[in-house]
Amino acid sequence: GNSVTQMEGPVTLSEEAFLTINCTYTATGYPSLFWYVQYPGEGLQLLLKATKADDKGSNKGFEATYRKETTSFHLEKGSVQVSDSAVYFCALSNPPRPGGGFKTIFGAGTRLFVKA
Amino acid sequence: DGGITQSPKYLFRKEGQNVTLSCEQNLNHDAMYWYRQDPGQGLRLIYYSQIVNDFQKGDIAEGYSVSREKKESFPLTVTSAQKNPTAFYLCASSITGTGSVRAFFGQGTRLTVV
C-alpha cells in the first residue's frame, strides 16, 4: 500500500542554518506530493506541492523536488528563522480510482526548533 | 471567506459519555475527512467521505461514528467505546477531481477526557 516516511525529529537548528527534512514515499501510480506545516497551537496549512516528476514546489523560501527515481520529496530551506519553528508533515495523495475514492496519507511529522 | 470551521476548539468530556465534534465547510468540496493527531505521532485517518450519504472507515475507525447528510457537514461522534479519546482532531476537505488534490484543514478540536 501507499506510505510516507519522514525523518524523525526533533530537528534543532540555529537561525540562518540550512534545513533538510527527508521524506520518501511508496505509492502505486503517480501521486501528488505535499508538505504541510503546523505552527504551535494552529491547524495544518499547505506549504507547497508538486504534482509530477521533477516538479519543484516552493513557498516562503522552502523548496521540495518530486524525485520519482528515488521516490523522495525532501524539504529544504537555505536559511531558517525562529518563526519557522513548527511541525512539518510530508503527504501524498493518489489520483482517484474509477468508482472509488482516494485519500491523503501523511508522514509522522518532523518537529523543527530554530534557536535565535 | 471560504473555509472549514471546526467547533468547539476545546472540548472536555467525562468518561463514558459520547461527544460530537462539528465540521462545516463552504468550499463546495465533495470529500471530507477526519484525522486524529496524538503527541509524537502523525495524522491518522479515522473516517472519510467522498460524497453525501456515503463514508468509509479509515485506519482507526473503532469507537467513532460519522454521518454525511449534507455536503457541507461531516460531524464526528466519539463514542464511549473509544478507549483513548483524548487527542487533537482535525477535519479536512478536498475536491475529488483528477490532478493535484490538496486538502484544506480546519483549526482542530482538542478533546480531553476527564
Side-chain angles (χ1 to χ4, degrees):
Chain A
N2 296 345
S3 66
V4 175
T5 303
Q6 282 181 244
M7 64 187 290
E8 287 189 24
V11 173
T12 302
L13 295 173
S14 297
E15 213 166 16
E16 299 184 3
F18 184 86
L19 168 71
T20 300
I21 300 179
N22 290 339
C23 172
T24 57
Y25 68 90
T26 303
T28 55
Y30 300 92
S32 295
L33 301 174
F34 308 85
W35 277 99
Y36 288 88
V37 58
Q38 185 180 30
Y39 296 104
E42 299 184 17
L44 269 70
Q45 305 171 29
L46 177 67
L47 180 60
L48 53 85
K49 66 179 182 181
T51 59
K52 60 183 187 299
D54 299 326
D55 263 5
K56 178 185 281 188
S58 61
N59 186 26
K60 299 182 180 179
F62 291 90
E63 292 183 340
T65 302
Y66 190 143
R67 302 281 187 205
K68 190 161 174 56
E69 63 278 11
T70 54
T71 62
S72 64
F73 193 55
H74 304 324
L75 182 68
E76 296 181 337
K77 186 174 184 181
S79 176
V80 294
Q81 305 301 313
V82 172
S83 58
D84 293 326
S85 297
V87 181
Y88 293 83
F89 290 90
C90 185
L92 72 80
S93 182
N94 53 305
R97 299 185 302 278
F102 65 94
K103 55 188 178 183
T104 301
I105 297 167
F106 291 85
T110 303
R111 184 173 295 276
L112 171 66
F113 291 105
V114 180
K115 302 180 296 184
Chain B
D1 287 343
I4 301 181
T5 302
Q6 286 186 244
S7 61
K9 189 171 183 179
Y10 299 97
L11 188 57
F12 295 87
R13 186 195 92 176
K14 290 184 179 178
E15 232 175 296
Q17 288 181 339
N18 291 354
V19 63
T20 297
L21 282 59
S22 168
C23 179
E24 304 276 332
Q25 53 99 359
N26 60 4
L27 299 166
N28 200 34
H29 286 167
D30 285 312
M32 296 186 75
Y33 313 80
W34 275 106
Y35 293 91
R36 170 180 170 140
Q37 185 180 27
D38 293 285
Q41 296 195 37
L43 297 175
R44 292 183 290 169
L45 182 65
I46 304 172
Y47 269 98
Y48 64 106
S49 167
Q50 301 296 315
I51 197 168
V52 174
N53 292 322
D54 187 46
F55 48 83
Q56 290 81 39
K57 291 182 179 180
D59 301 317
I60 54 165
E62 186 176 350
Y64 299 97
S65 66
V66 293
S67 63
R68 188 84 187 277
E69 296 175 3
K70 298 186 300 182
K71 188 176 187 178
E72 302 79 18
S73 178
F74 191 42
L76 173 75
T77 296
V78 184
T79 74
S80 56
Q82 168 51 235
K83 292 182 170 39
N84 187 20
T86 295
F88 186 65
Y89 292 87
L90 278 167
C91 179
S93 73
S94 72
I95 62 172
T96 56
T98 56
S100 170
V101 179
R102 58 157 290 193
F104 291 77
F105 288 85
Q107 291 302 299
T109 294
R110 187 167 299 280
L111 173 64
T112 303
V113 173
V114 297

